[in-house]
Amino acid sequence: MQPIIVTLEEARRLAVMAQRLAGPRPPASAEGVMELFHALNCIQIDPIRAVERTQLLVLWSRLGAFDPALLDQLQQADRTIFEAWAHCASFVLTEDYPLFAHHMTEKPEGGVWGERVRGWMEANSALHQHILERLAADGPLTSSDFDDLGALPWESSGWSSGRTVTRMLDFLYFRGKVLSVARKGNTKYWHLAEKWMPPGTDMSDWAEADVVCRAADKSLRALGIATFKQINNHFIRKRYPGLKKRLAELQTESIALPAKIVGADGELWPDEWFIHRESLPALEAIRAGAWQPRTVLLSPFDNLICDRERTEQLWNFYYRIEIYLPAAKRQYGYYVLPILHGERFIGRMDSKLERKSGVYSINALYPESEADVTPETGQAIAANLSELAGWIGAETVKFGENIPAVWRQALLDVTS
């Protein structure tokens, strides 16, 4: 099959549409949230709340103002989503349980790490059994609800050192025994996987080829257009053994279609690109002029930009999280929200909400070098910022000095 030729602008728009960041918003309801989960596949979980937790920001960027309790409803009451390891710790669809269960196994791990984990769990068999028995009788429970019966503390150079109960729960998760089934703040509630999953959940052991094929299909649809490497870095990140063979099968079935991205001087990159056949109507709509852009602030962990290398290649937008850098070494700030304007990134915003005072401080707005710093772009940013400020409960919006004058005036006009 001849590759589908797309321009860089079309490729960007296709990716943005696949991520539901253009066009009409889904309804701010449980059905709307589930629509997004079926499009995105996973939403990363992170405890940092400088503005709002990322699992909520990702949904807000697509829904607008919504009730965060919807996420709890879907996880705890409806049980249509659950926590698993996708990009990182994430919410994923319960119907996709086999894709994650395949990697949650009691099969012995290899290497030095596997030997260490097995030896540690055997030494702490009393704690292992205690956790399973307590959950069977009284779950869901938090880590503090268990007696620390550990005979051998977990030792590491990182955050997990000495956290014997928490570490045992982590290892039991990776063996498919337990799940984190709820959160209150940053506190996790655990239960036995077999007791928590709703009746009818497919908990069978899929063949590896089927897992990789299904995950690759979902990854490509969520990306809009992607290379082999980008598919491998998305959704069940870097857990696609035999991906090249599976992609070849998807090509044979005309599901993954070959593509090329071109510029004025011809093909931009020699990479082999793919478009999912279900993305073709979106591409046709873009070419027919049905592009409906939005201007929206994104979480630092948003699915659109979580692959930093892809983000830099497709959008020429270099983005790194500076949370863990000393303040003096930060280029942009502690918690910086990228600004998506249509299919382009035009800037980034360093901001923080002080929840006690209700003051939302916009410390700085940094335009990208090729951004149009105009009243129109300023008004678009201001409208989305005003919506965000209202949703997170800010009573006052305060602006720092490092904001372009044209944008500052637009922000003042909307938020004053």
Side-chain angles (χ1 to χ4, degrees), residues 200-277:
T201 301
D202 184 355
M203 300 184 76
S204 61
D205 186 12
W206 284 22
E208 182 173 86
D210 294 333
V211 169
V212 174
C213 195
R214 177 61 174 157
D217 178 295
K218 292 171 72 69
S219 180
L220 179 57
R221 275 194 289 115
L223 290 167
I225 184 169
T227 65
F228 166 89
K229 185 176 182 180
Q230 291 166 7
I231 294 168
N232 189 48
N233 283 339
H234 204 69
F235 189 30
I236 60 168
R237 181 176 288 171
K238 296 182 179 178
R239 300 197 301 275
Y240 291 89
L243 177 57
K244 287 187 177 180
K245 186 175 182 180
R246 302 287 83 81
L247 277 174
E249 292 171 357
L250 290 174
Q251 283 186 272
T252 299
E253 297 170 14
S254 297
I255 294 173
L257 308 175
K260 286 184 180 180
I261 300 177
V262 300
D265 299 322
E267 189 174 0
L268 289 178
W269 302 290
D271 312 83
E272 186 178 13
W273 293 82
F274 302 96
I275 293 176
H276 198 287
R277 69 181 178 196

Side-chain angles (χ1 to χ4, degrees), residues 131-365:
I131 288 175
L132 296 181
E133 289 175 353
R134 282 294 316 279
L135 289 176
D138 304 313
L141 299 170
T142 70
S143 60
S144 62
D145 291 322
F146 301 105
D147 298 325
D148 189 348
L149 303 180
L152 179 64
W154 180 262
E155 294 182 4
S156 76
S157 59
W159 66 270
S160 60
S161 186
R163 298 163 63 96
T164 306
V165 172
T166 300
R167 207 63 177 130
M168 181 63 78
L169 286 164
D170 288 338
F171 291 144
L172 288 172
Y173 161 76
F174 283 109
R175 280 156 181 74
K177 295 296 186 182
V178 305
L179 294 173
S180 173
V181 300
R183 289 176 182 244
K184 292 184 180 178
N186 291 331
T187 301
K188 291 183 180 182
Y189 286 76
W190 298 86
H191 208 342
L192 298 176
E194 63 182 13
K195 292 194 70 171
W196 182 256
M197 283 297 172
T201 301
D202 184 355
M203 300 184 76
S204 61
D205 186 12
W206 284 22
E208 182 173 86
D210 294 333
V211 169
V212 174
C213 195
R214 177 61 174 157
D217 178 295
K218 292 171 72 69
S219 180
L220 179 57
R221 275 194 289 115
L223 290 167
I225 184 169
T227 65
F228 166 89
K229 185 176 182 180
Q230 291 166 7
I231 294 168
N232 189 48
N233 283 339
H234 204 69
F235 189 30
I236 60 168
R237 181 176 288 171
K238 296 182 179 178
R239 300 197 301 275
Y240 291 89
L243 177 57
K244 287 187 177 180
K245 186 175 182 180
R246 302 287 83 81
L247 277 174
E249 292 171 357
L250 290 174
Q251 283 186 272
T252 299
E253 297 170 14
S254 297
I255 294 173
L257 308 175
K260 286 184 180 180
I261 300 177
V262 300
D265 299 322
E267 189 174 0
L268 289 178
W269 302 290
D271 312 83
E272 186 178 13
W273 293 82
F274 302 96
I275 293 176
H276 198 287
R277 69 181 178 196
E278 292 183 12
S279 298
L280 291 181
L283 181 59
E284 292 171 3
I286 290 167
R287 290 173 171 174
W291 169 243
Q292 296 177 271
R294 296 187 224 149
T295 300
V296 62
L297 296 158
L298 300 181
S299 159
F301 305 99
D302 195 275
N303 296 41
L304 183 69
I305 60 167
C306 62
D307 183 340
R308 307 304 189 198
E309 186 178 318
R310 167 184 162 91
T311 303
E312 192 171 356
Q313 181 180 14
L314 271 181
W315 285 277
N316 193 30
F317 184 66
Y318 181 88
Y319 183 84
R320 297 295 185 273
I321 294 172
E322 299 179 329
I323 291 168
Y324 305 108
L325 290 177
K329 293 186 176 182
R330 292 176 190 144
Q331 182 179 3
Y332 296 108
Y334 176 78
Y335 200 80
V336 176
L337 308 184
I339 305 169
L340 179 68
H341 181 66
E343 78 280 356
R344 297 176 57 211
F345 285 98
I346 61 170
R348 54 194 91 198
M349 183 177 80
D350 173 26
S351 66
K352 184 177 181 181
L353 174 65
E354 297 292 345
R355 285 182 163 76
K356 287 186 178 180
S357 65
V359 175
Y360 187 26
S361 297
I362 312 304
N363 303 316
L365 271 176

